[in-house]
Structures are given as C-alpha cells and as structure tokens.
Amino acid sequence: EYLRLLECPVVMGFLEPAFKVVRGGEVLKELTLASNGTAADVKATIGNLLGVASSRLLLYRAGEQLLDDAFMLPFAEVEAVEVAEVMLRTVSGCCCETIPNVE
C-alpha cells in the first residue's frame, strides 16, 4: 500500500521518505532521502544552508559518527556538528615562558 501511495500525487506533493537534521538540540531541516542519500550529500546541503564548508561538518546518528559514504535512514534523526580549529598557547605563571615539551 505504501508503494502505491508513494507514486500518487497528494495535495501538497509526493510522499517521500525523510529524516531530520538537528543542530544544538533543535530541528534545523527535514531532508528527503531522494536528494540526500548519503552523509556526504547531507554535509553539502547543510553546509550550503549554514554557509560552512562541508569538510567542517560532522554528522552523528544515535551517538555514532557517520562516514561520508554512510546511507541515511528514513525517519532517523541526524545531528550536525560544526568543527573548528583551535590553537592554544600555554605559559607558566611567571615571565611568559612556555612549558617544555608541549606543542
């Protein structure tokens, strides 16, 4: 029955399997599997939406990081996390000398 309904136009369009992308605990976007079948596709879509390079995004499903070739699942919830490079400099409390053997 579902396959028959999938091919029938509905008042608002076609029924397509979808999943949610969450960021910061809030739903950022609902995406269809047809145009976002892999994690790489989702990263590209969300990157364009946020204005961030897809290489700076990580996706998690049920607490596990998704590789770029991972397939999306219908009705799943995927968490998008932006990563950033951070550089720290540690110094001692006196005279701004660096701590030996720390990079």
Side-chain angles (χ1 to χ4, degrees), residues 18-53:
F19 60 95
K20 294 178 183 178
V21 178
V22 177
R23 181 176 183 221
E26 297 182 15
V27 176
L28 178 65
K29 187 89 171 161
E30 284 193 24
L31 301 174
T32 63
L33 291 175
S35 57
N36 294 281
T38 65
D41 297 334
V42 175
K43 284 181 177 183
T45 300
I46 297 301
N48 287 336
L49 180 69
L50 299 175
V52 174

Side-chain angles (χ1 to χ4, degrees), residues 43-80:
K43 284 181 177 183
T45 300
I46 297 301
N48 287 336
L49 180 69
L50 299 175
V52 174
S54 61
S55 61
R56 291 184 49 199
L57 292 173
L58 297 177
L59 299 178
Y60 292 88
R61 181 175 52 220
E64 292 188 27
Q65 185 177 343
L66 299 176
L67 300 176
D68 284 347
D69 60 351
F71 290 104
M72 296 294 103
L73 301 175
F75 313 111
E77 192 171 277
V78 175
E79 182 181 8

